[in-house]
Amino acid sequence: VQLQASGGGLVQPGGSLKLSCAASGVTPNSVAIGWFRQAPGKEREGISCISFSDDSTFTQYSLSDRFTISKDNAKNTVYLQMYRLKPEDTAVYYCAADSPNWPRIGCRWRAQTIRGEGTQVTVSS
C-alpha cells in the first residue's frame, strides 16, 4: 500500500483546507484510511478514518465539529475537509491505512498501521 497526501499549505485562522490521500496498491474493501497529525514537539494525534468496506467513520470528538472525512471509491482517495482552522491546527498531516474495521476501534495507531506521506498545514496570519 502506498499513500500520498496532498493539499496542505498556509491558511489564515478561520480559513478552510481540504487534504487528499491517494492510495495505491490496495484491494477494494480491504482497508480503512485515516488521518493523523503531528506538530513539532508534540505527540502524534489521531484525527479521523473511514472504511472502504462499510463506509463507517470515526472522528476525534474534539475535532468533529470542524473536520470531516470522506472518500471517493473510484479514485481510492480519502479527503479531510477542515473548517475554521486555528493556529493550533498547525502540524504535518499524515494519512495512514489499516484494516477495514479500523473506525470501530477509534482509528487507534498500532503496529500494523501503514503510514503514508505527510503534508504540512500551517495556520497563521
Side-chain angles (χ1 to χ4, degrees), residues 3-5 19-21 33-39 44-48 80 91-97 102 109 114-121:
L3 305 168
Q4 181 64 54
L19 307 182
S20 299
C21 176
I33 293 175
W35 293 93
F36 289 79
R37 67 184 182 182
Q38 190 162 20
R44 179 178 56 230
E45 179 183 16
I47 300 171
S48 185
L80 184 68
V92 177
Y93 284 67
Y94 297 94
C95 55
W102 204 23
W109 186 274
I114 300 170
R115 197 192 82 170
E117 297 286 332
T119 185
Q120 175 71 44
V121 173

Side-chain angles (χ1 to χ4, degrees), residues 13-90:
S16 300
L17 208 57
K18 187 174 184 178
L19 307 182
S20 299
C21 176
S24 59
V26 297
T27 302
N29 300 325
S30 69
V31 294
I33 293 175
W35 293 93
F36 289 79
R37 67 184 182 182
Q38 190 162 20
K42 293 190 176 181
E43 294 287 324
R44 179 178 56 230
E45 179 183 16
I47 300 171
S48 185
C49 66
I50 185 168
S51 174
F52 277 75
S53 175
D54 62 7
D55 298 336
S56 59
T57 64
F58 175 85
T59 302
Q60 288 294 340
Y61 179 77
S62 63
L63 300 173
S64 61
D65 62 333
R66 299 188 296 119
F67 290 14
T68 302
I69 196 167
S70 63
K71 63 181 175 65
D72 184 329
N73 290 345
K75 297 181 179 180
N76 279 348
T77 298
V78 171
Y79 305 99
L80 184 68
Q81 178 69 60
M82 304 183 291
Y83 301 98
R84 302 191 302 281
L85 285 162
K86 306 174 182 179
E88 51 263 44
D89 293 318
T90 296

